[in-house]
Amino acid sequence: MDVPLGDWLVTAYDRISILHVATALLLVAVFALALWLGGGTEGRRGVWRRLLLGLALSLAAVAVLGVVFPGFYRSTLATDDPVIQSLVSQVREMQPIRFWTRAGLSDLLIDIGGTLLALPFVPLVLWGAPDGATRRLAVVWTVTLLATLAAALAYLRFVVEFAAPGAIGVAGLMAVAAAALSAVRPVVRVAALLLVALLGTVGLPAIGLQLKASLDKAEGCDAADLSAYLRVTPPVSAPPGGPDPIVMLNNFNLTPRLAYETPFRFVAASYHRGAAAIRDAMVFFMATDDAAAQSILGRREVALVILCRSGMAPQPPEQPPGNLEGRLLSGEGVPAFLAQLPLPERLGRDFVAYTVKR
C-alpha cells in the first residue's frame, strides 16, 4: 500500500490520498448520472442533453472538491513550506514551454515530438468524420489533445498526460499518409511511410536533443561533461562491497541525469518529495556556521561536494553574506574539512569540486 491504513483520511495533494479517491468516485458519479439522466432521448438531441448534463455535473463535482479539499487545484503548490515553494516555482518541469526561444523549441521537439506533425490534420479529422459516433470520438480526441497540449505548454510536467492523445494523433497521421500515397508505387509508399513513422516517433525528439545539447554547452555547467568525468575518472570510490559514494551538488536540476549515468548517489534533486534532503542541501550551501555545515555532511555521509559556477539552482529564498557556497566558489575561506579537487581545464571552467576529509 502506498498509504498506511492509519493515514487513509489524511489529505495529500501531490501523492495518492483520500483526495484522489474522492476525485475518482466523483468522476464515476458524473458519467453514471449523465448517462442515466440523459437516457431515453435518441439522436442529436440526446447527445446535447447528455453533454449539458455532464457539464453541469462536472461543475458540481469541482465545487464539492473545492469545499471538501480547499486548494486541491494547486496540487504540488499547496504547501506551506517556503523552501519547497521556492523550489517548485523554479523546477524546470514546472516551467512553461517558451517555444519562441531556442531552449523552449528544444523542449517542444523533445516532449511534444512527432505529434506536432499531426496537429495540422486536426481540422481534416473533424471535417471528414462522418456523423454519429465517429464524429463524437473525433471531437473528444480533439478536445483532449488541445487541452493536454495547452497544459503541457503551461507546465512542462503535463507532457505525461499529453502522451496518449499524442500517440493517437501520430497513428492517425500514418493513416492519412497511407491514404494520400495510395496511388504511388509500393516502394515509394513504404519509404514515405517509414519516414513519417521515424519523424513521428524519434525524429523530432532527436533534433530537439541535439539542440538542447548545444544549448547546455553554451550556457555552461553541462551535465554531459561532468557525467563523463565522474564515470571515467571518479575522484572518490566506494569501499569494496560498500554503497556508492554520495555527492552534495548545488545545482539540483543536474542531479537526475548524473544519478542515472554515474556510479554516485546525490543528496538532493529537483523533486518536491525530497523536502528534507533539499532543505539540508540549501542549508549547507547557505551556511555561515562551518560546524553546522560539517554536521550536515556527516549526517548525509557526503564524500564529494560539487558546485556549478553559475550558482545554486533552484535559487534559495535568500543567501546571507559569507555563505559557504560563495566561499567555495571563490576558493577563499574554505573550511578545513574540505579539500579542493583539481579538475580538468575544460570541466574546471564550469565546476568546482571538493573532497570531504574524514
Side-chain angles (χ1 to χ4, degrees):
M1 296 295 291
D2 184 67
V3 180
L5 183 61
D7 294 337
W8 275 20
L9 297 181
V10 176
T11 302
Y13 292 91
D14 62 340
R15 64 186 181 92
I16 297 298
S17 72
I18 187 63
L19 164 62
H20 301 86
V21 175
T23 302
L25 292 175
L26 284 170
L27 281 171
V28 171
V30 166
F31 277 94
L33 287 172
L35 290 173
W36 178 49
L37 296 174
T41 305
E42 300 299 329
R44 190 181 298 272
R45 184 178 178 184
V47 172
W48 278 105
R49 182 178 178 180
R50 288 187 289 274
L51 182 63
L52 293 175
L53 278 169
L55 178 60
L57 290 167
S58 297
L59 292 175
V62 170
V64 170
L65 287 174
V67 171
V68 179
F69 306 103
F72 76 95
Y73 56 89
R74 299 184 67 228
S75 186
T76 303
L77 297 176
T79 174
D80 296 327
D81 189 326
V83 173
I84 302 304
Q85 286 181 341
S86 172
L87 168 76
V88 169
S89 65
Q90 299 178 64
V91 169
R92 179 177 171 272
E93 69 172 17
M94 293 297 290
Q95 306 304 312
I97 299 179
R98 298 179 177 88
F99 53 86
W100 55 90
T101 67
R102 290 185 66 193
L105 178 60
S106 71
D107 286 334
L108 191 70
L109 294 174
I110 293 169
D111 296 303
I112 307 299
T115 309
L116 294 171
L117 300 176
L119 290 177
F121 293 95
V122 168
L124 295 178
V125 172
L126 293 176
W127 184 267
D131 289 336
T134 303
R135 179 176 288 276
R136 291 196 292 274
L137 286 173
V139 171
V140 169
W141 171 76
T142 301
V143 171
T144 305
L145 177 73
L146 296 179
T148 50
L149 177 60
L153 292 176
Y155 296 99
L156 182 60
R157 66 179 299 178
F158 287 123
V159 294
V160 176
E161 283 74 10
F162 181 75
I168 294 171
V170 174
L173 177 61
M174 289 290 295
V176 171
L181 297 168
S182 59
V184 303
R185 295 171 56 188
V187 174
V188 176
R189 183 166 65 251
V190 170
L193 289 176
L194 284 174
L195 178 61
V196 172
L198 287 173
L199 285 174
T201 53
V202 297
L204 292 184
I207 295 171
L209 286 171
Q210 289 299 316
L211 178 59
K212 185 177 185 303
S214 65
L215 288 171
D216 287 343
K217 290 185 180 298
E219 293 173 358
C221 292
D222 182 13
D225 291 338
L226 181 57
S227 175
Y229 170 72
L230 293 176
R231 288 196 317 271
V232 178
T233 55
V236 294
S237 57
D244 292 332
I246 297 176
V247 177
M248 179 77 82
L249 183 66
N250 74 334
N251 189 322
F252 305 160
N253 291 325
L254 302 182
T255 298
R257 176 174 179 176
L258 295 173
Y260 178 76
E261 294 181 350
T262 70
F264 288 88
R265 293 176 291 162
F266 292 79
V267 173
S270 54
Y271 187 55
H272 60 277
R273 291 281 187 87
I278 292 166
R279 188 177 292 103
D280 274 353
M282 285 188 163
V283 169
F284 171 79
F285 286 112
M286 291 188 293
T288 55
D289 181 348
D290 290 348
Q294 186 177 19
S295 173
I296 292 174
L297 293 182
R299 178 160 46 81
R300 290 287 176 179
E301 300 180 349
V302 174
L304 187 64
V305 176
I306 301 177
L307 299 93
C308 168
R309 289 189 182 275
S310 61
M312 198 182 304
Q315 286 290 325
E318 58 179 343
Q319 289 181 292
N323 63 79
L324 184 56
E325 182 189 45
R327 287 183 283 146
L328 294 180
L329 288 173
S330 67
E332 299 177 359
V334 176
F337 55 84
L338 294 175
Q340 187 163 2
L341 180 69
L343 295 176
E345 181 181 356
R346 178 177 173 180
L347 191 64
R349 289 197 293 265
D350 292 336
F351 295 96
V352 180
Y354 293 85
T355 55
V356 180
K357 298 178 182 178
R358 298 299 183 192

